[in-house]
């Protein structure tokens, strides 16, 4: 945005913005420092009119101009842009919440609000306080795929504010998310799963989402049937939810373990991280021990995975080996002890510790993980 102070704010002598404007008896205004220097140099004429001045010219403070300059200068380019954006957002909100607005008008408003709320916390709060959340939720329910996607994106942006997370759940966003996870377009499903992850940052929301009918099962179904993006976002949401202890059994009961193992085998490292949380509950360990080829999948992650995958695979194997001699034998046959020795110099302290713990478990000297 162009930003230029009016020329009248500049001293006629220095051409700089005046900090202390004063009026000379000729009626013209100068910055005090500049005109005082002019007078002290022996000049007794007005620099502009060239009319004579008194022997001791009086300099009258121009308070009105000084106030104008001060107020104008405080409106920086960024501030002007913010004011403009806030004005825009108010008009867009009005269009969105108006019952008489067409779908096309609502879509335009949603698209622009998504852009405005992506990085601006102030506008996110303004949108939330304006009643626009209800209108966005109605758009999710509209059955219009494009409106649904934009409204979910707006709700996702609004959820970036911690103060909004509980409020969105209270407004009924979970019901809409579950419906989208079941029947929405691929893009809408991915955004809906991401929105769940954002909401699950707050501990109370983890419990609320976990206990909501079909919320977890919808994520597990998306993990099984979705495209790469959907599977990644659903696994991330499950990981966020499983950090709450009570949700782990719920996730296991939805038949997630074999689906997570298959996802891990296909290279989705986040699935290994979810399994690393599920192994902490008895039901999770029991289900993992039933999955054919599970140990081989984890060993493959140890050999070829990223740091997080390796860390969680070591942890899972150690938990399972502490509970099952049969799994110890499988792990030993896969040469895991040698792999662990090779990880002793790994850059990750957690990997080194988990590898050491697993070796002690395998060799009959169990340690606390």
């Amino acid at each position: 945005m162009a930003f230029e102070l009016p020329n009248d704010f500049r001293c006629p002598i220095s051409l700089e913005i005046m900090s202390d404007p004063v009026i000379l008896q000729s009626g013209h205004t100068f910055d005090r420092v500049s005109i005082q220097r002019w007078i002290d140099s022996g000049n007794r004429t007005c620099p502009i009119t060239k009319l004579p001045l008194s022997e001791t010219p009086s300099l009258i403070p121009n308070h009105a101009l000084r106030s104008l300059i001060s107020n104008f200068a405080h409106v920086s380019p960024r501030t002007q842009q913010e004011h403009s954006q806030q004005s825009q957002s108010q008009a867009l909100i009005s269009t969105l919440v108006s019952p008489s607005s067409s779908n096309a008008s609502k879509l335009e408003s949603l698209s622009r609000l998504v852009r405005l709320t992506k990085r601006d916390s102030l506008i996110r709060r303004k949108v939330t306080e304006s009643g626009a959340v209800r209108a966005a939720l109605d758009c999710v329910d509209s059955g219009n795929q494009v409106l649904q996607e934009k409204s979910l994106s707006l709700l996702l942006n609004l959820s970036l504010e911690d103060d909004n997370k509980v409020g969105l759940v209270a407004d009924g966003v979970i019901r809409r998310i579950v419906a989208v996870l079941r029947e929405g377009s691929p893009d809408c499903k991915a955004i809906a799963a991401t929105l769940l992850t954002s909401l699950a940052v707050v501990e109370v929301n983890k419990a609320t989402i976990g206990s909501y009918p079909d919320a977890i099962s919808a994520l597990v179904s998306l993990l099984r049937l979705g495209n790469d993006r959907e599977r990644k976002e659903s696994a991330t949401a499950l990981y966020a939810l499983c950090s709450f202890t009570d949700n782990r059994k719920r996730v296991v009961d939805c038949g997630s373990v074999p689906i997570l193992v298959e996802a891990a085998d296909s290279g989705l490292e986040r699935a290994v991280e979810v399994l690393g949380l599920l192994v902490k509950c008895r039901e999770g360990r029991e289900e993992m021990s039933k999955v054919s080829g599970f140990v081989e999948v984890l060993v493959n992650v140890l050999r070829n995975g990223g740091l997080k995958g390796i860390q969680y695979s070591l942890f899972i194997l150690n938990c399972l080996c502490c509970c099952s001699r049969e799994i110890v034998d499988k792990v030993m046959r896969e040469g895991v002890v040698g792999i662990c020795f090779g990880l002793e110099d790994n850059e990750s302290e957690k990997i080194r510790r988990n590898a050491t713990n697993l070796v002690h478990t395998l060799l009959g000297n169990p340690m606390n993980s």
Side-chain angles (χ1 to χ4, degrees), residues 45 50 71 74 87 125 135 154 185 202 213 263 271 275 303 331 363:
T45 59
K50 304 303 180 183
N71 290 337
H74 282 134
S87 298
R125 291 196 294 271
L154 177 60
S185 69
V202 178
L275 289 165
R303 291 194 172 104
V331 171
L363 298 182

Side-chain angles (χ1 to χ4, degrees), residues 173-295:
V173 72
I174 303 303
R175 175 177 70 79
R176 273 79 170 190
I177 289 175
V178 172
V180 171
L181 289 173
R182 290 296 190 192
E183 300 177 0
S185 69
D187 285 342
C188 287
K189 288 179 179 179
I191 298 170
T194 307
L195 179 52
L196 275 187
T197 301
S198 178
L199 295 172
V201 168
V202 178
E203 202 70 14
V204 67
N205 283 352
K206 294 175 185 176
T208 303
I209 296 167
S211 60
Y212 194 93
D214 291 335
I216 288 177
S217 62
L219 286 171
V220 173
S221 178
L222 188 62
L223 180 65
R224 180 170 63 91
L225 301 172
N227 60 31
D228 288 347
R229 181 188 176 196
E230 292 171 300
R231 292 166 69 237
K232 180 179 178 181
E233 296 301 340
S234 61
T236 301
L238 288 170
Y239 181 82
L241 292 171
C242 286
S243 64
F244 182 70
T245 305
D246 291 352
N247 284 338
R248 293 169 189 164
K249 183 178 183 302
R250 292 168 177 154
V251 172
V252 172
D253 289 345
C254 286
S256 64
V257 171
I259 297 169
L260 286 163
V261 173
E262 183 180 347
D265 192 32
S266 69
L268 183 59
E269 194 163 278
R270 180 65 80 179
V272 183
E273 297 174 33
V274 179
L275 289 165
L277 295 179
L278 297 184
V279 78
K280 295 180 180 181
C281 71
R282 177 181 55 81
E283 294 83 2
R285 293 190 293 273
E286 289 176 354
E287 287 301 310
M288 290 176 203
S289 65
K290 298 175 185 176
V291 178
S292 176
F294 182 41
V295 169

Side-chain angles (χ1 to χ4, degrees), residues 306-344:
L307 293 179
K308 281 286 188 181
I310 294 171
Q311 173 194 324
Y312 277 95
S313 293
L314 290 167
F315 178 76
I316 295 166
L317 288 172
N318 190 43
C319 290
L320 295 177
C321 287
C322 285
C323 302
S324 169
R325 184 68 219 179
E326 181 183 353
I327 293 181
V328 169
D329 292 339
K330 287 183 181 180
V331 171
M332 292 292 285
R333 286 197 298 270
E334 290 290 328
V336 169
V337 171
I339 295 174
C340 289
F341 285 145
L343 294 171
E344 286 182 344

Side-chain angles (χ1 to χ4, degrees), residues 35-49:
I35 193 62
Q36 191 65 59
R37 187 181 299 118
W38 169 269
I39 295 170
D40 291 346
S41 299
N43 296 296
R44 289 298 179 268
T45 59
C46 171
I48 295 177
T49 65

Side-chain angles (χ1 to χ4, degrees), residues 68-106:
L68 280 172
I69 294 172
S70 177
N71 290 337
F72 202 100
H74 282 134
V75 183
S76 65
R78 177 175 176 80
T79 306
Q80 284 190 330
Q81 186 174 22
E82 288 172 351
H83 288 168
S84 173
Q85 289 178 341
Q86 289 174 32
S87 298
Q88 287 181 49
S89 67
Q90 187 55 59
L92 296 171
I93 291 166
S94 298
T95 300
L96 181 60
V97 301
S98 172
S100 61
S101 295
S102 66
N103 281 352
S105 298
K106 290 181 179 179

